[in-house]
Amino acid sequence: MVLAPSPPPGCPHTGPARRTVVQAAALAAAGLTAGLAPTAWAAGSPARPAAAGPGAEPARRDTAHAPLPLRTDRDSQGDILAGFRKDHACFLFLHFGDAAKARRWLTRLLPSVSTTEEVARFNRAFSRARRLRGGIDPESMATLWTGIGLTHPGLSLLSGKEPFPAAPAGSSAEAFTQGSAARAQQLGDTGTSAPQSWLFGAEEPARAVHVVLTLAADQPERLSAAVAEHSAGAAADGATVLFRQDGATLPGELRGHEHFGFLDCISQPGVRGFDEPDPADASGVLGKPGTRLIPAGEFVVGPERVNKRPTGLPAWATGGAFQVVRRLAQDVPGWWTQVALRLAELQRAGAAPADAGREWLGARLMGRWPGGMPVSLCPAAEQLPAPGKHPDAGLAYGQDPQGWGMPLFAHIRKGNPRDGLVLTPGRPPVAQAELDARRLMRRGIPYGPVYQPELGEEHGPQTSRGLVFVCHQSDLVGQFELVMRKWVNEPDFPAGRNPRAGCDPVLGPDSAIAFETPSADGTGSRANTLHFGRFVRTEGSVYAFSPSLPVLRALAKGELDVSIEFHTGSVLRPGDVLDAGKARLTLEASGDLALLDSRGTRTWHTYTSGVGHDAVFTQDGELIVRDAEGATVWSSGSGGHPGARLLLRPSGELVILDGIRVLWKASAS
């Protein structure tokens, strides 16, 4: 008999060795893991919302807070930090046959691209109105958002050049250039999830995806009209819609849930400079206990990152983010049937209550009960959080290294180990701050009708349904790919356990998992091995980049600055290399900051050998080399220019600019 989840009871409101910077980050990761206005053609499209206004937030008090500069950012796209958060979305995967026509299309699209400031302002007004209405959505407040992501072929087409002057091994530049289809093996996209069966993302080069156009709206009629207008506008400029992917929030009691029946996107990272800090805990988000504030540079290229790591990316990436878009098909009856069978095995072994239903085990596989509460906080049965209380309040794994409360294989623990990642059994867990650099900003939405076969064939097992997975990050390799390769799909994560924890039984490949329970005296544990097959298949995947508005305007003119940018606040440490292809900037092991040509020959250096400890580009526009005590031992002398930029040009010049004015320059001459 086919089993399906019963509807949840409701959801809560909700010369040196050539080691590039990006390689250094990848190596560190391996060690850490043991290893809007209307478009020109869209007559009658809605204008940008005039309401002042951030999205569905928990109840909060309106008090004076520290400045949140990222909320007024009019350069970055709105889905990255603010989030579109609409009930209906459509993703159009476009291919252009002519660069000039593609630029003309982009020029016409630009006025409709939604910014962080617009989306954050609307979301705040919407959230405030929702609270005043006792949690009911204000139907009078509705809008349409637009976002654009460009693939590597798309950037190349629009700019007429290679977007990266260098793509070092192990870097996000390399991953983005290759694309997700070429990296399917290492991401676990094999067998029924292999690119050969994808609906998008694995086309021949002559038909490659150039653009991912995201449209999101509160009302399906408004979205349908926008999709028709944008499709016609793109076709007028020679574009082909390779694939159209629709998505929508599930109806009724499943609102906010994914198709297996679990409340989704609860544990989103907070962003420093965008989300309000908690006055009682400056490291956390107001109204969301346990949600950490993470440096914005982990999600948008340019701001400060964890440990002040440089990005090693071109100037065109500043203000943008890598975007991953994946179609994940969910076999709902198959997964729940499997859960029921494995539960029966546990019950025969005495490792699960005899009266437990399949939700008991499903909650342990997901890490949450269907209503969103973590299983470790209410292990016996589902409880809904108190009104106004975030489901993750009190969620921590630091005192549960064995995974007896929150299983080590649980989906939410695999994807975010929090404070409970133990690299070596018996040793203290990794500091949670060290894992902040692995978080993803998720923006997914379900597609397809709910599985309820009693409602008719459309709701039966043969109908396609699943999740459009979308995430934004500044480091494609160190964030999305690492989480997938080293955590989700790795049976030996966390490492060194016998038996191994197993892969993520929700998202990962076929795998045996170790279901551990404490012994009667609490001094040890016993493990029951359960095998889980794959019931989530990848049916399409694209790596795109969401550029800033200034970069999009430049691309509309065929311009793209491929100089490597060293952002303010970033720190260059010994062995790190910024690679612009024919020129490289490195802090040598001796402490000398040097420019190297393509042969590795010095063309300029700071003469700080023996004293240089690191190099920093200050907020004041000054490049300095510091000693181990933090004292300046060399300076470019260009201070007094906040907002200045430091660029390494492929020509070999290292230049500090204030707008277009050169403040300082170093080169072979």
Side-chain angles (χ1 to χ4, degrees):
M1 180 179 69
V2 172
L3 297 174
S6 57
C11 58
H13 296 303
T14 60
R18 182 169 178 173
R19 181 172 72 98
T20 65
V21 166
V22 286
Q23 285 175 302
L27 290 170
L32 182 64
T33 61
L36 235 240
T39 57
W41 62 81
S45 293
R48 300 180 187 272
E57 301 171 339
R60 50 182 288 277
R61 53 189 181 276
D62 292 319
T63 58
H65 299 288
L68 301 172
L70 294 176
R71 292 203 173 216
T72 58
D73 183 1
R74 298 182 178 181
D75 287 343
S76 64
Q77 294 196 47
D79 196 38
I80 302 171
L81 296 182
F84 289 167
R85 305 180 188 176
K86 296 305 178 188
D87 287 340
H88 307 274
C90 179
F91 304 84
L92 297 177
F93 299 85
L94 306 177
H95 171 84
F96 286 88
D98 180 83
K101 291 181 178 180
R103 296 185 194 115
R104 185 173 65 191
W105 171 83
L106 180 57
T107 299
R108 298 165 70 185
L109 177 76
L110 276 168
S112 70
V113 177
S114 309
T115 69
T116 298
E117 186 273 337
E118 292 171 320
V119 179
R121 175 162 44 88
F122 178 89
N123 285 353
R124 170 159 289 186
F126 188 95
S127 182
R128 184 180 295 116
R130 192 175 189 270
R131 288 196 305 273
L132 293 174
R133 291 169 57 88
I136 300 174
D137 288 351
E139 296 181 2
S140 61
M141 296 185 66
T143 193
L144 170 75
W145 299 131
T146 303
I148 178 174
L150 302 173
T151 63
H152 180 266
L155 282 165
S156 300
L157 177 75
L158 288 165
S159 66
K161 66 171 73 171
E162 166 56 49
F164 297 98
S171 69
S172 288
E174 178 189 56
F176 183 74
T177 300
Q178 293 177 349
S180 58
R183 301 172 74 82
Q185 187 78 27
Q186 57 185 289
L187 293 174
D189 290 331
T190 59
T192 58
S193 288
Q196 292 87 335
S197 62
W198 287 2
L199 298 172
F200 60 84
E203 297 83 2
E204 294 296 320
R207 297 186 69 251
V209 174
H210 289 142
V211 174
V212 180
L213 184 64
T214 303
L215 302 169
D218 301 277
Q219 303 157 331
E221 301 83 7
R222 194 169 188 175
L223 179 62
S224 295
V227 171
E229 291 161 355
H230 279 282
S231 297
D237 285 316
T240 300
V241 178
L242 299 176
F243 192 76
R244 168 181 172 172
Q245 178 63 63
D246 294 306
T249 301
L250 299 185
E253 289 189 321
L254 284 175
R255 179 179 176 84
H257 296 59
E258 47 73 48
H259 278 287
F260 288 150
F262 295 87
L263 195 64
D264 198 16
C265 281
I266 297 173
S267 180
Q268 289 279 49
V271 179
R272 196 177 298 160
F274 182 86
D275 291 299
E276 296 175 6
D278 189 337
D281 178 10
S283 67
V285 178
L286 178 66
K288 298 181 179 180
T291 300
R292 293 174 56 79
L293 280 171
I294 295 173
E298 298 304 326
F299 310 107
V300 177
V301 176
E304 183 179 311
R305 304 173 72 197
V306 172
N307 296 328
K308 304 182 184 297
R309 306 171 342 267
T311 66
L313 292 171
W316 60 258
T318 298
F322 288 104
Q323 178 191 37
V324 178
V325 183
R326 291 164 69 80
R327 174 177 160 123
L328 304 178
Q330 296 176 257
D331 180 353
V332 177
W335 191 78
W336 279 104
T337 297
Q338 176 176 237
V339 171
L341 293 172
R342 300 294 89 82
L343 174 63
E345 293 177 18
L346 289 176
Q347 289 171 324
R348 288 193 293 268
D355 61 348
R358 60 187 183 274
E359 287 83 2
W360 184 91
L361 179 55
R364 281 151 177 79
L365 303 177
M366 187 68 70
R368 300 186 185 277
W369 293 94
M373 280 294 289
V375 70
S376 57
L377 299 183
C378 47
E382 177 162 22
Q383 299 173 9
L384 294 182
K389 187 176 181 180
H390 194 272
D392 285 355
L395 179 61
Y397 309 145
Q399 302 303 312
D400 183 27
Q402 304 298 329
W404 296 344
M406 177 66 71
L408 298 176
F409 55 74
H411 175 68
I412 68 170
R413 187 163 184 170
K414 275 280 196 175
N416 179 15
R418 295 180 180 259
D419 60 341
L421 177 55
V422 177
L423 296 180
T424 304
R427 301 289 295 173
V430 175
Q432 193 169 355
E434 293 297 319
L435 300 178
D436 288 346
R438 312 302 166 207
R439 299 302 309 278
L440 309 174
M441 192 62 75
R442 294 171 294 139
R443 303 299 185 201
I445 190 169
Y447 72 88
V450 174
Y451 178 73
Q452 289 183 308
E454 66 274 13
L455 297 180
E457 185 176 344
E458 181 186 1
H459 295 270
Q462 302 305 315
T463 299
S464 296
R465 60 180 56 84
L467 181 75
V468 184
F469 174 89
V470 180
C471 70
H472 300 285
Q473 57 271 294
S474 66
D475 186 347
L476 194 53
V477 170
Q479 290 170 275
F480 170 73
E481 288 201 345
L482 183 143
V483 170
M484 291 299 297
R485 293 188 300 110
K486 298 290 188 177
W487 296 359
V488 169
N489 294 332
E490 175 51 65
D492 195 28
F493 176 82
R497 300 187 61 82
N498 184 22
R500 300 189 301 181
C503 300
D504 180 342
V506 177
L507 192 60
D510 292 9
S511 170
I513 67 169
F515 189 93
E516 295 192 46
T517 53
S519 59
D521 59 8
T523 60
S525 67
R526 63 172 181 167
N528 289 271
T529 300
L530 303 175
H531 185 271
F532 280 88
R534 185 173 209 157
F535 288 90
V536 175
R537 301 186 323 278
T538 304
E539 293 187 338
S541 182
V542 161
Y543 284 170
F545 192 89
S546 301
S548 69
L549 271 294
V551 171
L552 288 172
R553 295 185 193 106
L555 280 167
K557 302 175 184 177
E559 302 169 358
L560 194 68
D561 189 349
V562 299
S563 303
I564 300 299
E565 183 161 8
F566 186 38
H567 298 100
T568 57
S570 297
V571 178
L572 203 65
R573 298 176 174 91
D576 286 342
V577 178
L578 297 180
D579 195 339
K582 296 180 179 180
R584 308 199 301 277
L585 177 69
T586 181
L587 186 67
E588 298 178 335
S590 65
D592 218 359
L593 183 66
L595 270 177
L596 311 176
D597 62 17
S598 59
R599 299 183 300 275
T601 302
R602 278 187 184 184
T603 60
W604 169 89
H605 62 113
T606 58
Y607 298 92
T608 52
S609 179
V611 293
H613 177 73
D614 59 27
V616 179
F617 185 50
T618 71
Q619 300 286 344
D620 207 33
E622 184 176 22
L623 176 62
I624 61 174
V625 177
R626 305 183 299 195
D627 64 17
E629 304 300 321
T632 299
V633 296
W634 178 89
S635 168
S636 62
S638 55
H641 295 86
R645 304 176 73 186
L646 175 56
L647 304 177
L648 175 61
R649 291 172 169 163
S651 63
E653 286 186 336
L654 183 65
V655 59
I656 298 176
L657 300 175
D658 185 359
I660 61 173
R661 182 163 67 97
V662 176
L663 301 176
W664 175 89
K665 180 174 68 174
S667 66
S669 58

